[in-house]
Amino acid sequence: MTIASWTQWICFVALSAGVVIGSLGVVLLPNIVYSAFLLGGVFLSVAGLYLMLNASFVAAAQVLVYVGAVNVLILFAIMLVNKKETLAEIPGLPLRRLLSGGVCAGLFLLLLRVDVTTPWAVPGPSPVGNDATIRIGIHLFSDYLLPFELASVLLLMAMIGAIVLARRDVFTVDVITGEDVDQALIEKMRTPLLVETTPTQNPALEATR
Amino acid sequence: MSSLPVDVPLQAYLVLAAILFCTGVWGLINSRNAVRVLMSIELMLNAVNINLMAFSSYIDGQLIRGQVFAIFVITVAAAEAAVGLAILLSLYRNRETVDMERFNLLRW
């Protein structure tokens, strides 16, 4: 074996160890903040695997989108909902875990059997290597143009949908003008600046009407 | 170690992706915390992406269609994470919990 293949094997083993251990940590660790950071480690390891598979552009996209956006979004969600709560005991939870573990192990064995027994058509044509980015650009603007445009529409819909779903609608009435005041995007319920008060409590405000 | 093949075979990547996918499925079924469920979905999407990239590099080396598909999967995953976390935030406001066992609004 040459130095190059040794390096390839060592990189593969290190990156896959990172992926497997990190994913087990994501699923099993009790503290969810550790899980989120380990998820970032898994994403980085997967990006390294992409680099080994001659896909530098997708590796960069993986780091930018997954580590930079999705993982940060998950961390923000954890910070927004991270209230300490004691989960109620569910009867038969260990049995459930064991059964689902068995199902997952069976699924893994099935996938393993398919992986090993299928006669894959390797070696295929030689990989394009550094020209992959150019090929991806050509694909995106010729035969994959429609999915590309649909993806942009999907991202727009997801952005609008996320804003609509996550906003908090607090409708109050302005006491002076009597119009509806839309105080959306207020994270915590708090008293608006001009609450509707009884006239006797605030005679000065009543005088301004 | 000398019995190893010279290059990392395609099957090694596929087995790694299978391990990652099954870990994600187990976490998806068994997590009580809703944020962890979303993380498990991301793990499963990454496993699928590893498969696509491995096939693209080993079998479809010239027309790297697997890489294009992986880019679309990454796009959809980003949209899914944004909408999923927005739904989770909305649920948390209504229910004051992230316990998956108590999210049964549509069950009966």
Side-chain angles (χ1 to χ4, degrees):
Chain A
M1 284 175 78
T2 59
I3 289 270
S5 57
W6 271 109
T7 315
Q8 202 182 5
W9 270 104
I10 289 171
C11 287
F12 178 76
V13 169
L15 289 172
S16 40
V19 167
V20 171
I21 294 171
S23 63
L24 285 177
V26 167
V27 171
L28 295 176
L29 279 185
N31 191 338
I32 195 157
V33 181
Y34 294 164
S35 294
F37 280 108
L38 276 177
L39 187 70
V42 172
F43 290 157
L44 284 176
S45 303
V46 172
L49 286 173
Y50 290 170
L51 281 182
M52 285 183 62
L53 288 168
N54 307 306
S56 49
F57 176 74
V58 186
Q62 166 93 3
V63 173
L64 283 176
V65 175
Y66 269 113
V67 184
V70 172
N71 205 19
V72 171
L73 197 64
I74 286 176
L75 275 172
F76 269 105
I78 288 171
M79 283 189 266
L80 284 176
V81 301
N82 197 11
K83 190 180 67 174
K84 282 272 175 274
E85 58 179 317
T86 51
L87 300 177
E89 286 294 322
I90 304 262
L93 194 61
L95 180 68
R96 235 197 265 185
R97 297 224 155 128
L98 213 63
L99 278 178
S100 54
V103 169
C104 289
L107 178 65
F108 173 67
L109 288 179
L110 182 72
L111 289 173
L112 193 67
R113 187 174 182 280
V114 171
D115 288 348
V116 173
T117 56
T118 308
W120 302 109
V122 285
S126 60
V128 289
N130 281 332
D131 286 341
T133 311
I134 300 171
R135 298 285 171 92
I136 289 172
I138 293 170
H139 274 306
L140 283 184
F141 285 100
S142 58
D143 47 350
Y144 288 96
L145 183 63
L146 183 64
F148 182 69
E149 299 292 340
L150 280 180
S152 62
V153 175
L154 176 77
L155 280 177
L156 179 69
M157 289 195 308
M159 189 174 73
I160 297 173
I163 292 171
V164 168
L165 283 170
R167 69 188 256 162
R168 176 196 278 278
D169 289 326
V170 181
F171 290 110
T172 47
V173 176
D174 194 324
V175 288
I176 295 178
T177 59
E179 292 173 350
D180 288 340
V181 179
D182 186 7
Q183 292 185 315
L185 297 175
I186 293 176
E187 194 43 51
K188 293 281 178 202
M189 182 81 81
R190 63 182 161 206
T191 323
L193 283 178
L194 291 172
V195 287
E196 194 131 30
T197 51
T198 52
T200 55
Q201 280 180 343
N202 202 341
L205 198 63
E206 197 62 24
T208 59
R209 279 200 167 176
Chain B
M1 266 315 249
S2 59
S3 64
L4 282 176
V6 176
D7 288 329
V8 181
L10 170 66
Q11 281 88 349
Y13 287 99
L14 299 185
V15 170
L16 174 68
I19 293 173
L20 189 58
F21 188 83
C22 292
T23 313
V25 170
W26 194 87
L28 180 72
I29 298 172
N30 282 302
S31 297
R32 298 285 300 273
N33 194 324
V35 183
R36 205 188 293 265
V37 171
L38 287 171
M39 290 195 220
S40 304
I41 293 175
E42 301 295 335
L43 287 183
M44 290 161 67
L45 286 167
N46 265 285
V48 174
N49 269 348
I50 290 176
N51 265 354
L52 285 174
M53 304 294 279
F55 285 131
S56 164
S57 179
Y58 281 86
I59 294 179
D60 192 25
Q62 287 297 312
L63 303 163
I64 37 172
R65 285 167 291 196
Q67 294 194 21
V68 183
F69 264 92
I71 289 173
F72 288 128
V73 172
I74 288 175
T75 312
V76 174
E80 174 262 343
V83 174
L85 290 172
I87 291 173
L88 172 66
L89 213 60
S90 179
L91 266 176
Y92 179 73
R93 287 207 190 106
N94 285 321
R95 281 289 167 114
E96 292 290 322
T97 181
V98 286
D99 188 1
M100 288 302 284
E101 301 289 337
R102 292 183 58 200
F103 291 158
N104 49 8
L105 288 94
L106 289 179
R107 198 162 157 193
W108 285 290

